[in-house]
Amino acid sequence: MTTETLPERSTSESAIGVHVKGYVERVRGGELGALPAVFGLVVLCVVFSVLRPAFLSPVNFANLFTQGAAVTVIAMGLIFVLLLGEIDLSAGFASGVCAAVLAVLLTNEGWPWYAAVGASMLTGAIIGTVLGTLVAKLGIPSFVVTLAAFLAFQGVLLLLVKGGTNISIRDETILAIANNNVPPVVSWVAVIAGVAAYAAIQFVKARRRSARGLVADPLILIIFRVAALAVIAGVAVYVLNLERSRNELIVSLKGVPIVVPVIVVLLLVWTFVLHRTRYGRHVYAVGGNAEASRRAGINVDGIRISAFVICSFMASIGGIIAASRANSVDPNTGGSDVLLFAVGAAVIGGTSLFGGKGRALDAVLGGAVVAVIQNGMGLMGYSAGVKYVVTGSVLLLAAGVDALSRKRAAATGRR
């Protein structure tokens, strides 16, 4: 019995050793991925938890999700543009314009919520089509096009809200997006189903690779990933399901905020698009080398236009979330620091400003870092000026790490 199990154990250990060695070599070669963002997120959470124990309270934990939701969603769309080596400076105010369309149709015109949401998303798609066409077909640099749109959309937003009017949103469905919670039982069912689905996908993927004679992840590594996901998701749901109300007899506040599953669904959709479809492979190809992609028969202009469409479409969803959280739309919706934080979230999460490298997950990780910085420093009583300085420093550090990793990758032949 012992002689039968030892070879299996040694084989498993050698397979893990190969994967660990390969990962270390990739990191040393400049392929850092999300490692800096994860490390920074852990450090920030530990520091703020020590300095302000209230940081880990259920109330603040839930607030972190709603606080960073709009920026995370906008950053998820920006990643498609950044993957091509382009930039969209208008995404912030584009979200504000789409939110204003939603508010005007809901409050002033009396449209049902689903029609208003559809019109808002359609507005985002039209904005992206116009911007992408100007960049791809006319050859105007994306910086110039989106800078002009940044200025123009401020004016459009002012016109929609009639100068300085604050348009209140009273539709319960829209308000629930960023203000209501998923029932605790439903939260647990969703987590269990999600972890089970992830485990099934991992095992099926490994079996298919083995059947084709390809190198598959060892069983123990798959088990570790599934267990890690189960622990992280389980702890998060447990904390969010705790009572957060000061007086639960008046109102009960517990459960996962509705905006969380919205972000998870968007993350899964865009991760699938980027990594499991021909379109996603074309996006990476164009971002890596547009001329080579054109010679390979890829519709480069179409890819560029579609990336801006996705970016503005996601900005519309971010605007809807922001309007839901604020219960209104005003001239500042989508303005101020929204764009800066969205771009910062994408870059901090690991997306390269030079194109060709990035994932939808980067927006979530980077958005979490930005939200933690803003939230933690707010709890410590720092002014907005200090928050901007710290966030800007983290963004500069992330861009520096990206530049150095690219140089390292080029030097080692991994670029």
Side-chain angles (χ1 to χ4, degrees):
M1 182 175 181
T2 305
T3 57
E4 293 178 357
T5 55
L6 282 178
E8 296 178 1
R9 181 179 301 176
S10 61
T11 302
S12 177
E13 290 176 352
S14 62
I16 295 174
V18 170
H19 278 266
V20 172
K21 183 178 179 180
Y23 177 75
V24 173
E25 290 179 353
R26 290 195 299 273
V27 171
R28 293 180 63 183
E31 298 181 19
L32 299 179
L35 185 61
V38 174
F39 177 77
L41 186 61
V42 171
V43 171
L44 287 170
C45 288
V46 170
V47 170
F48 288 134
S49 300
V50 172
L51 297 178
R52 285 291 184 272
F55 177 80
L56 288 181
S57 64
V59 174
N60 194 62
F61 189 55
N63 186 51
L64 279 172
F65 288 102
T66 56
Q67 183 175 351
V71 167
T72 298
V73 170
I74 297 173
M76 211 177 293
L78 277 167
I79 283 174
F80 283 81
V81 174
L82 294 175
L83 279 172
L84 302 181
E86 305 286 355
I87 188 68
D88 187 351
L89 300 177
S90 66
F93 274 112
S95 71
V97 169
C98 295
V101 170
L102 172 78
V104 169
L105 294 179
L106 277 177
T107 303
N108 297 349
E109 303 299 329
W111 283 31
W113 69 268
Y114 49 86
V117 167
S120 176
M121 292 181 175
L122 179 61
T123 301
I126 293 173
I127 288 173
T129 302
V130 173
L131 297 179
T133 301
L134 292 174
V135 173
K137 297 300 183 180
L138 298 185
I140 306 175
S142 59
F143 180 88
V144 177
V145 171
T146 58
L147 178 60
F150 172 87
L151 299 173
F153 290 158
Q154 292 185 61
V156 173
L157 179 58
L158 286 172
L159 292 173
L160 288 173
V161 300
K162 302 185 183 305
T165 305
N166 184 306
I167 304 178
S168 299
I169 294 178
R170 294 182 289 272
D171 186 271
E172 295 182 357
T173 302
I174 299 300
L175 295 178
I177 296 174
N179 297 288
N180 288 9
N181 305 301
V182 178
V185 175
V186 177
S187 302
W188 282 117
V189 171
V191 166
I192 294 172
V195 172
Y198 176 77
I201 292 172
Q202 291 295 309
F203 284 119
V204 170
K205 179 181 177 181
R207 176 173 293 184
R208 287 181 176 177
R209 290 185 64 87
S210 297
R212 296 175 182 175
L214 302 175
V215 178
D217 293 339
L219 179 61
I220 190 171
L221 181 59
I222 296 175
I223 294 175
F224 174 77
R225 289 173 180 169
V226 174
L229 176 63
V231 170
I232 294 174
V235 171
V237 171
Y238 171 77
V239 174
L240 292 172
N241 281 342
L242 296 175
E243 182 60 60
R244 303 191 293 271
S245 175
R246 294 183 177 180
N247 191 340
E248 59 180 306
L249 297 177
I250 299 177
V251 59
S252 178
L253 290 176
K254 57 183 178 180
V256 177
I258 291 177
V259 75
V260 174
V262 171
I263 293 177
V264 171
V265 170
L266 292 172
L267 173 62
L268 293 175
V269 168
W270 295 125
T271 298
F272 177 82
V273 168
L274 283 174
H275 297 282
R276 291 291 182 269
T277 65
R278 178 181 297 180
Y279 171 79
R281 292 191 292 271
H282 288 179
V283 170
Y284 283 109
V286 173
N289 192 320
E291 184 57 33
S293 300
R294 183 178 288 106
R295 293 181 180 181
I298 297 175
N299 184 356
V300 175
D301 288 349
I303 294 295
R304 282 178 173 163
I305 293 174
S306 66
F308 280 94
V309 171
I310 292 173
C311 180
S312 296
F313 175 77
M314 291 297 288
S316 71
I317 298 178
I320 294 171
I321 294 174
S324 173
R325 185 168 186 262
N327 297 347
S328 64
V329 172
D330 58 49
N332 294 319
T333 302
S336 184
D337 48 21
V338 173
L339 172 67
L340 302 179
F341 285 164
V343 174
V347 176
I348 291 170
T351 298
S352 176
L353 288 169
F354 303 97
K357 187 182 77 172
R359 304 170 301 168
L361 180 62
D362 295 342
V364 177
L365 293 174
V369 172
V370 172
V372 165
I373 292 175
Q374 297 298 305
N375 183 278
M377 299 196 74
L379 289 176
M380 295 179 65
Y382 287 107
S383 64
V386 177
K387 295 179 184 178
Y388 284 130
V389 170
V390 173
T391 306
S393 300
V394 172
L395 173 58
L396 181 61
L397 178 62
V401 169
D402 176 41
L404 293 175
S405 65
R406 286 178 61 85
K407 288 184 179 181
R408 179 63 178 172
T412 57
R414 291 181 177 272
R415 184 173 177 178

